[in-house]
Amino acid sequence: MKKVSINTLMKWKQEGRKFATSTAYDASFSQLFEQQEMPLLLVGDSLGMVLQGQESTLPVTVEDIAYHTRCVRAGSPNCLLVADMPFMSYATPEQACQEAATLMRAGANMVKLEGGSWLIETVKQLTERSVPVCAHLGLTPQSVNIFGGFRIQGREQEKAEQMVIDAIALQNAGAQLLVLECVPTSLAQRITRELDIPVIGIGAGKETDGQILVMHDMFGISANYMPKFSKNFLVETGSMQKAIQQYIQDVEAGVFPGAEHSFE
Ligand code: KIV
């Protein structure tokens, strides 16, 4: 695979070419993903749930993410590698810069932060200091205790409007990618059209520029349960290589996610 940069994804957005991405946590799987030309891998703090067996992502530390970022980078030298900033590692812009440096040194090309307008100054400071940022709106799992559970976000008109405002403000502050998680398809479509930067959805319908899945969900091996928005690609293909190929093909063809994986 040729080296992927944010410019690659920007070009694809402009061309209307959809792309599939995944989480990854180790060198063996990241190598497998690279062999199938997966352009972007995310070392998600979902590792707290799928690797560590925790009930939420809150216990994950910067050291955990840095360790797995090194592992993933070793297996995939060419992907655009995004590392999650875990809970309470970016409470202030200063702290965010320090902790992001650890993840960039571990091999990340970009860091991902969960939240809306309160992050504007942080996004500005990170990008001014050469740390590319992926924003994350909608069901932001680090806020599970504020939301009172893992719930769809943006169904109410007022909350939907605020999400649009936040997305534009984050882009204007310098964010170069946006993840939208568990929001109605129509809202994700509106945000994707309004933004110049690529929007990657998970449980956000098929109108976003890209899709992301937690890799354990893609293979149907998550410890706890299979979310509605995900699909077990292994069961119908019989091998991990073929499952990844099928996922990529289905996203590029606009077949996945279907209505049954999406929210209104
Ligand atoms: O932590 C994670 O894996 C994520 C994805 C679900 C987008 O944030």
Side-chain angles (χ1 to χ4, degrees), residues 23 25 43-61 64-65 68 84 86 114 136 139-145 149-151 181 202 214-217 221-227 229:
T23 65
Y25 313 98
V43 179
D45 59 0
S46 50
L47 70 84
M49 299 170 81
V50 295
L51 297 193
Q52 299 174 345
Q54 314 263 13
E55 279 191 356
S56 77
T57 59
L58 271 62
V60 176
T61 65
D64 292 335
I65 300 283
H68 289 282
D84 250 343
E114 297 181 7
H136 184 161
L139 198 186
T140 45
Q142 290 170 22
S143 302
V144 61
N145 294 303
F150 294 98
R151 296 168 191 280
E181 180 164 353
I202 175 164
V214 170
M215 55 162 273
H216 291 64
D217 294 342
I221 53 165
S222 290
N224 296 321
Y225 84 117
M226 174 67 103
F229 55 76

Side-chain angles (χ1 to χ4, degrees), residues 109-124:
N109 301 117
M110 184 178 275
V111 297
K112 178 163 80 59
L113 289 77
E114 297 181 7
S117 43
W118 71 273
L119 280 175
I120 297 304
E121 185 54 30
T122 302
V123 172
K124 259 192 205 154

Side-chain angles (χ1 to χ4, degrees), residues 3 19 24 179:
K3 215 163 193 61
F19 56 91
V179 167

